[in-house]
Amino acid sequence: MPDGSTHLPPDYGQALPPLARKGRGAGLNPAVRFERTAREAFDDGWGTLEATFADLPPLPTTLTRDNAKSALAWNDSPDIGFDRAINPYRGCEHGCVYCYARPSHAYLGLSPGLDFETRLLFKPEVAALLEKELRKPGYDPKPIALGSNTDPYQPIERTLKLTRAVLEVLERFNHPVTIVTKSAGVLRDLDILSKMASRNLVRVCLSITTLDARLARIMEPRAASPERRLAAVRALAGAGIPAAVLAAPMIPAVNDAELETILERAAAAGATSAGYVLLRLPLEIKQLFEEWLERHMPDRAARVLSLIRQTRGGAMYDSRFGVRQKGTGAYADLLAQRFALAVKRLGLERRGGGVGALDCGQFQVPEVPGEAPRAKQLALF
């Protein structure tokens, strides 16, 4: 957690100069919605404000220890196919401007904008906490989602290796897991994933939003290139690890024309299942996405926003269960039909079906080194 101070930088709610946001997805830092006060930079006539901002260097990534008390996050949402998840990190360096997880940073007193991709929290004890929870009497094993909120293989994972530590625990307990990532870094853990796949304990999903390298660079600035993600699908499949593709989010008049091509390329690389999600703009993401559109696609910004409203009953977002992932209206219906036809033609399963096929029956709590086996202990009574 941050140190608890309320000292906000002068750029809150303001667009930063190009140098300061270089390599970042968001172009501004919306105010934290829970704060009672907001700050706005103001030039008092001396012409010093522009000069001050012009001197800002590119934003660095900072890390703060997250003293979490639990590794597992639970949910009862009817829109997703899992009830528990692990996120070793809060915030994500990938900087995807559309990321639905951005608003969660406000709960930390940080902005969902540039703070989300530059001020990260990490959970150094996540693996130990997970093992403790899995050892609790009465624990009922079901697939754990790894990467449901932020990417478990974002760049900092190369150094901290928290995701790998989590996988080591799950492999020892024979616990099923699903992984969603935009990073080819998942291939680092092929040794663990291969062993789990041989016991039907893992599925890996690569999120591929576009095949256009230029578009990916401005939309997902620090994620792996589209070709590297496809190569990761190919490598996973070659190692016998079930791989899926998630074409998400589909953004009207931005990347929606690529839906079938993404699925085709992924199927050719060895993906066996697929899914898609329509762009979601809850809370601060609306402001961030609109600024991004005006900055990168001013010629079509109005058209994109109009189409988005057509899928959300005239609003920018509809948070109701059952419709928030796919939208409503003619455009949303057409996108769903296109997806259904493509997966049928390509012989892909709809993503989600493979999760239920993971084997939960192999779960077993391993003995603690140095302690007498349970069977021998029970025999004493």
Side-chain angles (χ1 to χ4, degrees), residues 150-198:
T150 57
D151 201 307
Y153 287 101
Q154 58 180 291
I156 194 59
E157 168 63 16
R158 300 170 196 161
T159 302
L160 298 184
K161 300 179 181 179
L162 299 181
T163 296
R164 183 174 179 86
V166 165
L167 289 176
E168 289 172 341
V169 172
L170 294 175
E171 195 274 329
R172 284 194 295 110
F173 279 74
N174 287 330
H175 196 297
V177 63
T178 63
I179 301 172
V180 177
T181 182
K182 281 185 166 66
S183 175
V186 66
L187 299 181
R188 180 204 61 188
D189 295 333
L190 276 181
D191 56 334
I192 301 176
L193 298 175
S194 295
K195 289 189 291 185
M196 297 186 75
S198 69

Short mmCIF file of all heavy atoms in Angstrom, two decimals, residues 150-198:
data_model
loop_
_atom_site.label_atom_id
_atom_site.label_comp_id
_atom_site.label_asym_id
_atom_site.label_seq_id
_atom_site.Cartn_x
_atom_site.Cartn_y
_atom_site.Cartn_z
N THR A 150 -5.05 -8.41 -13.40
CA THR A 150 -3.86 -7.87 -14.04
C THR A 150 -2.99 -9.01 -14.53
O THR A 150 -3.08 -10.14 -14.05
CB THR A 150 -3.05 -6.99 -13.06
OG1 THR A 150 -2.71 -7.74 -11.90
CG2 THR A 150 -3.87 -5.77 -12.65
N ASP A 151 -2.13 -8.72 -15.50
CA ASP A 151 -1.39 -9.78 -16.19
C ASP A 151 -0.33 -10.40 -15.28
O ASP A 151 0.54 -9.70 -14.76
CB ASP A 151 -0.72 -9.22 -17.44
CG ASP A 151 -0.39 -10.30 -18.44
OD1 ASP A 151 0.25 -11.29 -18.05
OD2 ASP A 151 -0.78 -10.16 -19.63
N PRO A 152 -0.38 -11.73 -15.09
CA PRO A 152 0.60 -12.38 -14.21
C PRO A 152 1.99 -12.44 -14.82
O PRO A 152 2.96 -12.73 -14.11
CB PRO A 152 0.01 -13.79 -14.04
CG PRO A 152 -0.76 -14.03 -15.30
CD PRO A 152 -1.34 -12.70 -15.66
N TYR A 153 2.11 -12.15 -16.12
CA TYR A 153 3.41 -12.18 -16.78
C TYR A 153 3.81 -10.80 -17.31
O TYR A 153 4.54 -10.70 -18.29
CB TYR A 153 3.40 -13.21 -17.92
CG TYR A 153 3.43 -14.62 -17.42
CD1 TYR A 153 2.27 -15.38 -17.36
CD2 TYR A 153 4.62 -15.19 -16.96
CE1 TYR A 153 2.30 -16.68 -16.87
CE2 TYR A 153 4.65 -16.49 -16.48
CZ TYR A 153 3.49 -17.23 -16.43
OH TYR A 153 3.52 -18.52 -15.94
N GLN A 154 3.35 -9.73 -16.63
CA GLN A 154 3.82 -8.41 -17.01
C GLN A 154 5.32 -8.32 -16.75
O GLN A 154 5.88 -9.16 -16.02
CB GLN A 154 3.05 -7.34 -16.25
CG GLN A 154 3.12 -7.44 -14.74
CD GLN A 154 2.32 -6.33 -14.06
OE1 GLN A 154 2.70 -5.17 -14.12
NE2 GLN A 154 1.19 -6.69 -13.45
N PRO A 155 6.02 -7.33 -17.33
CA PRO A 155 7.49 -7.31 -17.28
C PRO A 155 8.13 -7.53 -15.92
O PRO A 155 9.17 -8.20 -15.82
CB PRO A 155 7.82 -5.92 -17.85
CG PRO A 155 6.72 -5.67 -18.83
CD PRO A 155 5.48 -6.25 -18.17
N ILE A 156 7.54 -7.01 -14.84
CA ILE A 156 8.17 -7.14 -13.53
C ILE A 156 8.26 -8.59 -13.07
O ILE A 156 9.09 -8.94 -12.21
CB ILE A 156 7.41 -6.27 -12.49
CG1 ILE A 156 8.25 -6.11 -11.20
CG2 ILE A 156 6.05 -6.87 -12.18
CD1 ILE A 156 9.59 -5.47 -11.41
N GLU A 157 7.44 -9.48 -13.65
CA GLU A 157 7.48 -10.88 -13.29
C GLU A 157 8.84 -11.52 -13.63
O GLU A 157 9.27 -12.46 -12.96
CB GLU A 157 6.35 -11.64 -13.99
CG GLU A 157 6.42 -13.16 -13.94
CD GLU A 157 6.33 -13.75 -12.53
OE1 GLU A 157 5.90 -13.03 -11.60
OE2 GLU A 157 6.69 -14.92 -12.35
N ARG A 158 9.53 -10.98 -14.62
CA ARG A 158 10.85 -11.52 -14.97
C ARG A 158 11.80 -11.44 -13.79
O ARG A 158 12.69 -12.28 -13.64
CB ARG A 158 11.44 -10.73 -16.14
CG ARG A 158 10.63 -10.75 -17.41
CD ARG A 158 11.17 -9.75 -18.41
NE ARG A 158 10.23 -9.48 -19.48
CZ ARG A 158 10.27 -8.41 -20.26
NH1 ARG A 158 11.24 -7.51 -20.10
NH2 ARG A 158 9.37 -8.23 -21.21
N THR A 159 11.62 -10.42 -12.95
CA THR A 159 12.49 -10.22 -11.80
C THR A 159 11.93 -10.86 -10.53
O THR A 159 12.64 -11.59 -9.82
CB THR A 159 12.71 -8.72 -11.55
OG1 THR A 159 13.27 -8.13 -12.72
CG2 THR A 159 13.64 -8.50 -10.37
N LEU A 160 10.65 -10.61 -10.24
CA LEU A 160 10.08 -11.05 -8.97
C LEU A 160 9.66 -12.53 -8.97
O LEU A 160 9.67 -13.17 -7.92
CB LEU A 160 8.88 -10.18 -8.61
CG LEU A 160 9.19 -8.69 -8.40
CD1 LEU A 160 7.93 -7.95 -7.95
CD2 LEU A 160 10.29 -8.50 -7.36
N LYS A 161 9.24 -13.05 -10.11
CA LYS A 161 8.90 -14.47 -10.26
C LYS A 161 7.82 -14.94 -9.28
O LYS A 161 7.84 -16.08 -8.82
CB LYS A 161 10.16 -15.33 -10.11
CG LYS A 161 11.22 -15.01 -11.15
CD LYS A 161 12.47 -15.85 -10.98
CE LYS A 161 13.52 -15.48 -12.02
NZ LYS A 161 14.77 -16.27 -11.88
N LEU A 162 6.87 -14.07 -8.98
CA LEU A 162 5.78 -14.44 -8.08
C LEU A 162 4.81 -15.41 -8.73
O LEU A 162 4.27 -16.31 -8.08
CB LEU A 162 5.05 -13.18 -7.61
CG LEU A 162 5.89 -12.15 -6.84
CD1 LEU A 162 5.03 -10.97 -6.43
CD2 LEU A 162 6.53 -12.81 -5.61
N THR A 163 4.56 -15.21 -10.03
CA THR A 163 3.66 -16.12 -10.74
C THR A 163 4.23 -17.53 -10.78
O THR A 163 3.51 -18.52 -10.59
CB THR A 163 3.41 -15.60 -12.16
OG1 THR A 163 2.72 -14.34 -12.10
CG2 THR A 163 2.59 -16.58 -12.98
N ARG A 164 5.52 -17.62 -11.02
CA ARG A 164 6.15 -18.95 -11.02
C ARG A 164 6.03 -19.61 -9.65
O ARG A 164 5.75 -20.81 -9.54
CB ARG A 164 7.61 -18.85 -11.43
CG ARG A 164 8.28 -20.22 -11.50
CD ARG A 164 9.69 -20.17 -12.04
NE ARG A 164 10.27 -21.52 -12.05
CZ ARG A 164 10.13 -22.42 -13.01
NH1 ARG A 164 9.40 -22.11 -14.07
NH2 ARG A 164 10.68 -23.61 -12.94
N ALA A 165 6.21 -18.83 -8.58
CA ALA A 165 6.09 -19.38 -7.22
C ALA A 165 4.68 -19.91 -6.98
O ALA A 165 4.49 -20.95 -6.34
CB ALA A 165 6.44 -18.32 -6.20
N VAL A 166 3.68 -19.21 -7.49
CA VAL A 166 2.29 -19.66 -7.36
C VAL A 166 2.09 -20.97 -8.11
O VAL A 166 1.47 -21.93 -7.59
CB VAL A 166 1.33 -18.58 -7.90
CG1 VAL A 166 -0.08 -19.16 -8.12
CG2 VAL A 166 1.26 -17.40 -6.94
N LEU A 167 2.62 -21.06 -9.32
CA LEU A 167 2.47 -22.28 -10.11
C LEU A 167 3.16 -23.47 -9.44
O LEU A 167 2.67 -24.60 -9.50
CB LEU A 167 3.04 -22.08 -11.52
CG LEU A 167 2.24 -21.16 -12.44
CD1 LEU A 167 2.97 -20.96 -13.76
CD2 LEU A 167 0.84 -21.72 -12.68
N GLU A 168 4.29 -23.22 -8.80
CA GLU A 168 4.98 -24.30 -8.10
C GLU A 168 4.10 -24.87 -6.98
O GLU A 168 4.07 -26.10 -6.78
CB GLU A 168 6.30 -23.78 -7.54
CG GLU A 168 7.35 -23.51 -8.62
CD GLU A 168 8.59 -22.83 -8.09
OE1 GLU A 168 8.52 -22.24 -6.97
OE2 GLU A 168 9.62 -22.86 -8.78
N VAL A 169 3.39 -24.00 -6.27
CA VAL A 169 2.48 -24.47 -5.23
C VAL A 169 1.34 -25.27 -5.83
O VAL A 169 1.01 -26.38 -5.38
CB VAL A 169 1.93 -23.29 -4.41
CG1 VAL A 169 0.83 -23.76 -3.45
CG2 VAL A 169 3.05 -22.60 -3.63
N LEU A 170 0.72 -24.74 -6.87
CA LEU A 170 -0.42 -25.42 -7.49
C LEU A 170 -0.01 -26.77 -8.06
O LEU A 170 -0.77 -27.75 -7.96
CB LEU A 170 -1.00 -24.53 -8.59
CG LEU A 170 -1.64 -23.21 -8.13
CD1 LEU A 170 -2.05 -22.37 -9.33
CD2 LEU A 170 -2.84 -23.48 -7.23
N GLU A 171 1.18 -26.85 -8.63
CA GLU A 171 1.63 -28.13 -9.19
C GLU A 171 1.83 -29.17 -8.09
O GLU A 171 1.47 -30.33 -8.24
CB GLU A 171 2.94 -27.89 -9.97
CG GLU A 171 3.33 -29.06 -10.88
CD GLU A 171 4.14 -30.12 -10.17
OE1 GLU A 171 4.88 -29.77 -9.23
OE2 GLU A 171 4.01 -31.32 -10.53
N ARG A 172 2.37 -28.75 -6.95
CA ARG A 172 2.59 -29.70 -5.84
C ARG A 172 1.26 -30.20 -5.26
O ARG A 172 1.17 -31.33 -4.80
CB ARG A 172 3.42 -29.03 -4.73
CG ARG A 172 4.90 -28.92 -5.06
CD ARG A 172 5.72 -28.60 -3.83
NE ARG A 172 5.43 -27.29 -3.28
CZ ARG A 172 4.81 -27.06 -2.13
NH1 ARG A 172 4.37 -28.07 -1.39
NH2 ARG A 172 4.61 -25.83 -1.70
N PHE A 173 0.24 -29.35 -5.29
CA PHE A 173 -1.06 -29.73 -4.74
C PHE A 173 -1.97 -30.39 -5.78
O PHE A 173 -3.11 -30.72 -5.48
CB PHE A 173 -1.77 -28.50 -4.18
CG PHE A 173 -1.32 -28.08 -2.80
CD1 PHE A 173 -0.09 -27.47 -2.61
CD2 PHE A 173 -2.11 -28.31 -1.68
CE1 PHE A 173 0.33 -27.08 -1.35
CE2 PHE A 173 -1.71 -27.92 -0.42
CZ PHE A 173 -0.47 -27.31 -0.25
N ASN A 174 -1.48 -30.53 -7.02
CA ASN A 174 -2.32 -31.04 -8.11
C ASN A 174 -3.60 -30.21 -8.23
O ASN A 174 -4.71 -30.75 -8.36
CB ASN A 174 -2.69 -32.51 -7.89
CG ASN A 174 -1.51 -33.43 -8.15
OD1 ASN A 174 -0.64 -33.14 -8.96
ND2 ASN A 174 -1.48 -34.54 -7.44
N HIS A 175 -3.44 -28.90 -8.21
CA HIS A 175 -4.59 -28.00 -8.24
C HIS A 175 -4.75 -27.40 -9.64
O HIS A 175 -3.81 -26.86 -10.21
CB HIS A 175 -4.41 -26.88 -7.23
CG HIS A 175 -5.68 -26.13 -6.92
ND1 HIS A 175 -6.36 -25.41 -7.87
CD2 HIS A 175 -6.40 -26.02 -5.78
CE1 HIS A 175 -7.45 -24.88 -7.32
NE2 HIS A 175 -7.48 -25.25 -6.05
N PRO A 176 -5.95 -27.48 -10.24
CA PRO A 176 -6.17 -26.94 -11.59
C PRO A 176 -6.10 -25.41 -11.63
O PRO A 176 -6.50 -24.73 -10.68
CB PRO A 176 -7.57 -27.45 -11.96
CG PRO A 176 -8.24 -27.67 -10.64
CD PRO A 176 -7.17 -28.11 -9.70
N VAL A 177 -5.62 -24.88 -12.76
CA VAL A 177 -5.46 -23.43 -12.92
C VAL A 177 -5.68 -23.03 -14.37
O VAL A 177 -5.37 -23.79 -15.29
CB VAL A 177 -4.05 -22.98 -12.45
CG1 VAL A 177 -2.97 -23.62 -13.32
CG2 VAL A 177 -3.92 -21.46 -12.48
N THR A 178 -6.25 -21.86 -14.58
CA THR A 178 -6.35 -21.27 -15.90
C THR A 178 -5.54 -19.97 -15.89
O THR A 178 -5.52 -19.25 -14.90
CB THR A 178 -7.80 -20.97 -16.30
OG1 THR A 178 -8.36 -20.00 -15.40
CG2 THR A 178 -8.65 -22.23 -16.26
N ILE A 179 -4.88 -19.68 -17.01
CA ILE A 179 -4.01 -18.50 -17.11
C ILE A 179 -4.44 -17.67 -18.30
O ILE A 179 -4.68 -18.20 -19.39
CB ILE A 179 -2.54 -18.92 -17.28
CG1 ILE A 179 -2.08 -19.75 -16.09
CG2 ILE A 179 -1.64 -17.70 -17.45
CD1 ILE A 179 -0.70 -20.38 -16.27
N VAL A 180 -4.56 -16.36 -18.10
CA VAL A 180 -4.81 -15.42 -19.19
C VAL A 180 -3.67 -14.41 -19.19
O VAL A 180 -3.35 -13.81 -18.15
CB VAL A 180 -6.16 -14.69 -19.03
CG1 VAL A 180 -6.33 -13.66 -20.15
CG2 VAL A 180 -7.31 -15.67 -19.04
N THR A 181 -3.05 -14.21 -20.35
CA THR A 181 -1.92 -13.30 -20.44
C THR A 181 -1.80 -12.70 -21.84
O THR A 181 -2.30 -13.26 -22.80
CB THR A 181 -0.60 -14.01 -20.07
OG1 THR A 181 0.48 -13.07 -20.11
CG2 THR A 181 -0.31 -15.16 -21.01
N LYS A 182 -1.11 -11.57 -21.93
CA LYS A 182 -0.74 -10.97 -23.20
C LYS A 182 0.76 -11.12 -23.44
O LYS A 182 1.31 -10.47 -24.33
CB LYS A 182 -1.09 -9.47 -23.21
CG LYS A 182 -2.55 -9.14 -23.47
CD LYS A 182 -2.71 -7.62 -23.57
CE LYS A 182 -4.06 -7.26 -24.16
NZ LYS A 182 -5.17 -7.65 -23.28
N SER A 183 1.42 -11.92 -22.63
CA SER A 183 2.87 -11.99 -22.66
C SER A 183 3.38 -13.34 -23.11
O SER A 183 2.87 -14.39 -22.69
CB SER A 183 3.43 -11.69 -21.26
OG SER A 183 4.83 -11.85 -21.23
N ALA A 184 4.43 -13.31 -23.93
CA ALA A 184 5.12 -14.54 -24.30
C ALA A 184 5.97 -15.04 -23.14
O ALA A 184 6.53 -16.14 -23.20
CB ALA A 184 6.01 -14.30 -25.52
N GLY A 185 6.04 -14.27 -22.06
CA GLY A 185 6.78 -14.68 -20.88
C GLY A 185 6.26 -15.95 -20.25
O GLY A 185 6.96 -16.59 -19.45
N VAL A 186 5.03 -16.33 -20.58
CA VAL A 186 4.46 -17.57 -20.05
C VAL A 186 5.31 -18.78 -20.44
O VAL A 186 5.33 -19.80 -19.74
CB VAL A 186 3.00 -17.74 -20.53
CG1 VAL A 186 2.95 -17.95 -22.03
CG2 VAL A 186 2.31 -18.89 -19.81
N LEU A 187 6.05 -18.66 -21.53
CA LEU A 187 6.87 -19.78 -22.00
C LEU A 187 8.02 -20.09 -21.04
O LEU A 187 8.57 -21.18 -21.07
CB LEU A 187 7.43 -19.48 -23.40
CG LEU A 187 6.37 -19.26 -24.49
CD1 LEU A 187 7.05 -19.00 -25.83
CD2 LEU A 187 5.42 -20.46 -24.59
N ARG A 188 8.40 -19.13 -20.21
CA ARG A 188 9.44 -19.39 -19.21
C ARG A 188 9.07 -20.55 -18.30
O ARG A 188 9.92 -21.29 -17.81
CB ARG A 188 9.65 -18.13 -18.37
CG ARG A 188 10.72 -18.26 -17.27
CD ARG A 188 10.48 -17.26 -16.17
NE ARG A 188 9.19 -17.46 -15.51
CZ ARG A 188 8.66 -16.64 -14.61
NH1 ARG A 188 9.30 -15.53 -14.29
NH2 ARG A 188 7.49 -16.90 -14.05
N ASP A 189 7.76 -20.73 -18.08
CA ASP A 189 7.29 -21.74 -17.13
C ASP A 189 6.79 -23.01 -17.81
O ASP A 189 5.98 -23.76 -17.26
CB ASP A 189 6.19 -21.14 -16.25
CG ASP A 189 6.71 -20.03 -15.36
OD1 ASP A 189 7.91 -20.05 -15.03
OD2 ASP A 189 5.92 -19.13 -15.01
N LEU A 190 7.30 -23.26 -19.02
CA LEU A 190 6.88 -24.46 -19.74
C LEU A 190 7.15 -25.73 -18.94
O LEU A 190 6.39 -26.70 -19.05
CB LEU A 190 7.60 -24.56 -21.09
CG LEU A 190 6.99 -23.79 -22.27
CD1 LEU A 190 7.82 -24.02 -23.52
CD2 LEU A 190 5.54 -24.18 -22.50
N ASP A 191 8.21 -25.74 -18.15
CA ASP A 191 8.53 -26.95 -17.39
C ASP A 191 7.42 -27.31 -16.42
O ASP A 191 6.99 -28.48 -16.33
CB ASP A 191 9.87 -26.78 -16.66
CG ASP A 191 9.89 -25.56 -15.74
OD1 ASP A 191 9.14 -24.60 -15.99
OD2 ASP A 191 10.67 -25.58 -14.76
N ILE A 192 6.91 -26.31 -15.69
CA ILE A 192 5.82 -26.56 -14.75
C ILE A 192 4.51 -26.83 -15.49
O ILE A 192 3.77 -27.76 -15.17
CB ILE A 192 5.63 -25.37 -13.79
CG1 ILE A 192 6.92 -25.11 -13.00
CG2 ILE A 192 4.47 -25.61 -12.84
CD1 ILE A 192 6.84 -23.89 -12.12
N LEU A 193 4.23 -26.00 -16.49
CA LEU A 193 2.96 -26.10 -17.21
C LEU A 193 2.85 -27.45 -17.94
O LEU A 193 1.75 -28.02 -18.02
CB LEU A 193 2.83 -24.95 -18.20
CG LEU A 193 2.78 -23.55 -17.57
CD1 LEU A 193 2.76 -22.48 -18.66
CD2 LEU A 193 1.57 -23.41 -16.66
N SER A 194 3.95 -27.95 -18.46
CA SER A 194 3.92 -29.24 -19.16
C SER A 194 3.54 -30.36 -18.20
O SER A 194 2.74 -31.25 -18.55
CB SER A 194 5.28 -29.52 -19.80
OG SER A 194 5.57 -28.58 -20.80
N LYS A 195 4.11 -30.34 -17.01
CA LYS A 195 3.78 -31.37 -16.02
C LYS A 195 2.31 -31.28 -15.62
O LYS A 195 1.64 -32.31 -15.48
CB LYS A 195 4.69 -31.22 -14.80
CG LYS A 195 6.12 -31.63 -15.04
CD LYS A 195 6.93 -31.67 -13.76
CE LYS A 195 7.16 -30.29 -13.17
NZ LYS A 195 8.05 -30.33 -11.98
N MET A 196 1.81 -30.06 -15.45
CA MET A 196 0.41 -29.91 -15.07
C MET A 196 -0.51 -30.31 -16.22
O MET A 196 -1.57 -30.92 -15.99
CB MET A 196 0.14 -28.46 -14.64
CG MET A 196 0.93 -28.02 -13.41
SD MET A 196 0.48 -26.38 -12.82
CE MET A 196 -1.11 -26.72 -12.04
N ALA A 197 -0.13 -29.98 -17.44
CA ALA A 197 -0.96 -30.34 -18.59
C ALA A 197 -1.07 -31.85 -18.75
O ALA A 197 -2.11 -32.37 -19.16
CB ALA A 197 -0.38 -29.72 -19.87
N SER A 198 0.01 -32.58 -18.42
CA SER A 198 -0.02 -34.04 -18.54
C SER A 198 -1.04 -34.66 -17.57
O SER A 198 -1.48 -35.79 -17.76
CB SER A 198 1.37 -34.62 -18.26
OG SER A 198 1.73 -34.46 -16.90
#
